[in-house]
Amino acid sequence: MGRTTFAGTDEPNLEAKGVVPDVRVPITLETEQAKQRGEDPVLDAAIAELDRLTNPATKLLGATWQWKSEISGSGAETKIDGSTNYSVTFDAEEERSYQADCNRANGTYTLGENSELTIALGPSTLALCPGDSRGEDFLKLLNAATSITFQGEQLAILLNPESGTLGLLFEQAETD
């Protein structure tokens, strides 16, 4: 007779269900041959899924990110009024679109293996925005991007120190 316990304890696990798999690895000729060679296709699939989930690009792509605050070189945080007017969207083809207050544009970006980010601004509309607009600042700051990181669900775009700004914080826009 055997009895299951919770990992690392003597506490009995009466359900004995374990973790329900959500990544399926089919039994194929290739997976069976891999097992015979001493490989573990199930473990390989699990590692690949963990890599995918922890890859910053997975969170970054396809979402619209709204500019919420700016972190100055001294570390002071400034909230952005009208943050829904400032957004950026990254896609898998390394193109991005942005809204800079009353102007819209596209451009390109590259995201390196260690979360290095470079942004190349493309053509933009040239509407005259209200006097308190941060549209031009937003575009200049995006152009100074050096890398990304995530702080919980917030996207932080870190900037070249010469910009005078440490980084920009974004939150994912709510979808309808």
Side-chain angles (χ1 to χ4, degrees):
M1 286 187 24
R3 174 178 253 185
T4 61
T5 59
F6 288 106
T9 71
D10 292 329
E11 182 182 344
N13 178 354
L14 302 177
E15 296 172 11
K17 288 183 181 178
V19 176
V20 178
D22 58 355
V23 175
R24 302 197 67 60
V25 179
I27 298 172
T28 64
L29 181 58
E30 286 110 11
T31 58
E32 291 303 308
Q33 288 172 335
K35 287 185 212 174
Q36 290 176 350
R37 291 189 303 267
E39 298 172 18
D40 190 341
V42 174
L43 179 61
D44 293 344
I47 291 169
E49 179 66 4
L50 288 172
D51 287 345
R52 185 189 71 80
L53 292 173
T54 58
N55 182 343
T58 302
K59 282 182 156 181
L60 181 70
L61 300 180
T64 297
W65 296 95
Q66 293 177 336
W67 188 23
K68 293 297 180 181
S69 61
E70 176 181 348
I71 310 299
S72 72
S74 66
E77 183 173 355
T78 303
K79 299 284 184 195
I80 303 302
D81 292 330
S83 65
T84 57
N85 294 335
Y86 306 95
S87 63
V88 62
T89 304
F90 299 89
D91 72 18
E93 279 74 46
E94 296 189 347
E95 293 182 1
R96 60 146 186 77
S97 63
Y98 54 84
Q99 178 178 340
D101 201 359
C102 61
N103 288 299
R104 298 194 58 78
N106 291 317
T108 60
Y109 74 95
T110 55
L111 183 62
E113 284 186 29
N114 295 315
S115 301
E116 302 95 354
L117 176 70
T118 55
I119 292 176
L121 299 174
S124 168
T125 59
L126 297 173
L128 181 61
C129 297
D132 62 347
S133 173
R134 299 278 320 268
E136 286 185 37
D137 293 338
F138 182 59
L139 298 179
K140 286 178 186 173
L141 292 170
L142 284 176
N143 204 36
T146 59
S147 63
I148 66 166
T149 187
F150 285 91
Q151 300 175 348
E153 294 300 310
Q154 286 190 326
L155 165 66
I157 296 181
L158 306 178
L159 306 178
N160 183 323
E162 293 174 7
S163 71
T165 300
L166 184 62
L168 309 176
L169 293 179
F170 294 80
E171 290 181 354
Q172 198 168 356
E174 293 184 21
T175 56
D176 296 332

